[in-house]
Amino acid sequence: EAQVTQNPRYLITVTGKKLTVTCSQNMNHEYMSWYRQDPGLGLRQIYYSMNVEVTDKGDVPEGYKVSRKEKRNFPLILESPSPNQTSLYFCASSPGLAGGPYEQFFGPGTRLTVL
Amino acid sequence: GDSVTQMEGPVTLSEEAFLTINCTYTATGYPSLFWYVQYPGEGLQLLLKATKADDKGSNKGFEATYRKETTSFHLEKGSVQVSDSAVYFCALREGNDMRFGAGTRLTVKP
């Protein structure tokens, strides 16, 4: 089954404790992206990656890091989480831009609470 | 930069009512437009899309037409069902730039 998986689905942590949210897709997509969803603000892009070893900042990259060492994986790293990073996070993937404006496929979400 | 504005919710309708959710956009070029739907506890999934002016996207009884002259992509359905209760997001994509509206929560009552 074609899918985007994220782990963990739920996480409660404390300020300053480094964490990683994993994202994996099995569709051989070039493009992957991380979003956060906050009430009244919709989805805002954190980082995206066009392919292996190619990443770029989205609209709200502060406090986050990403890496793309393999095509299927795109982890989101919070080196020192703060309460304002409490949010619902989504990973998404799509084929590369060449050939069309493809829709994105979303993971189920990770609800993060930073105390 | 590019942006998407959609009508604020929540929207509550009775079953079989007509639905319209307004969406307008600003873009520097010629974006593709999307409607995504998010059911409770799930990620977003594509509902429909349109890639150029005057295109009509449709799926599951929902429709939206890409109107370049009014920079709009309004979502419509002639007769909603309880199972349509969800949050709906209008979005645009222009190259690497992907923008989402704030989302509109729809509740359909029997």
Side-chain angles (χ1 to χ4, degrees):
Chain A
E1 180 189 356
Q3 61 182 347
V4 179
T5 57
Q6 295 178 227
N7 282 292
R9 293 290 311 278
Y10 303 91
L11 179 60
I12 300 175
T13 189
V14 296
T15 298
K17 186 176 181 182
K18 181 180 178 179
L19 66 92
T20 299
V21 183
T22 64
C23 173
S24 183
Q25 50 93 6
N26 62 1
M27 296 169 278
N28 201 36
H29 286 166
E30 289 84 8
Y31 184 96
M32 296 185 75
S33 184
W34 276 103
Y35 298 89
R36 59 178 291 172
Q37 182 181 9
D38 300 291
L41 297 177
L43 273 74
R44 293 179 292 168
Q45 192 176 52
I46 302 170
Y47 270 94
Y48 65 92
S49 169
M50 294 295 294
N51 214 323
V52 174
E53 301 293 359
V54 181
T55 63
D56 210 345
K57 296 177 181 179
D59 293 324
V60 288
E62 295 77 20
Y64 304 94
K65 286 175 57 177
V66 293
S67 69
R68 188 90 181 274
K69 293 184 170 54
E70 305 166 282
K71 197 172 188 180
R72 63 183 294 126
N73 296 323
F74 191 46
L76 180 69
I77 303 156
L78 284 71
E79 296 264 357
S80 182
S82 62
N84 65 10
Q85 293 178 298
T86 293
S87 187
L88 180 59
Y89 291 86
F90 288 101
C91 181
S93 73
S94 73
L97 293 177
Y102 299 104
E103 70 269 24
Q104 294 189 70
F105 295 80
F106 284 82
T110 295
R111 185 166 292 282
L112 172 65
T113 301
V114 183
L115 302 175
Chain B
D2 294 1
S3 66
V4 176
T5 303
Q6 63 181 101
M7 66 183 282
E8 295 186 16
V11 174
T12 302
L13 296 173
S14 298
E15 207 165 23
E16 299 184 4
F18 184 85
L19 169 71
T20 299
I21 301 178
N22 290 337
C23 171
T24 57
Y25 68 91
T26 59
T28 53
Y30 303 96
S32 294
L33 302 175
F34 305 86
W35 277 101
Y36 286 86
V37 59
Q38 184 182 32
Y39 298 104
E42 298 183 11
L44 281 71
Q45 53 186 275
L46 179 71
L47 180 60
L48 53 84
K49 68 179 180 181
T51 58
K52 61 183 187 298
D54 300 325
D55 268 3
K56 177 185 281 188
S58 61
N59 186 26
K60 299 180 182 180
F62 291 89
E63 292 183 341
T65 302
Y66 191 143
R67 302 283 188 202
K68 192 170 187 297
E69 64 276 12
T70 56
T71 61
S72 65
F73 193 54
H74 305 321
L75 182 69
E76 296 182 337
K77 187 174 185 181
S79 177
V80 294
Q81 306 300 311
V82 172
S83 58
D84 293 327
S85 298
V87 181
Y88 293 82
F89 291 91
C90 185
L92 69 79
R93 184 172 187 175
E94 189 167 25
N96 292 328
D97 197 10
M98 188 88 193
R99 302 282 169 170
F100 289 83
T104 302
R105 181 177 298 279
L106 170 67
T107 301
V108 181
K109 296 189 172 181

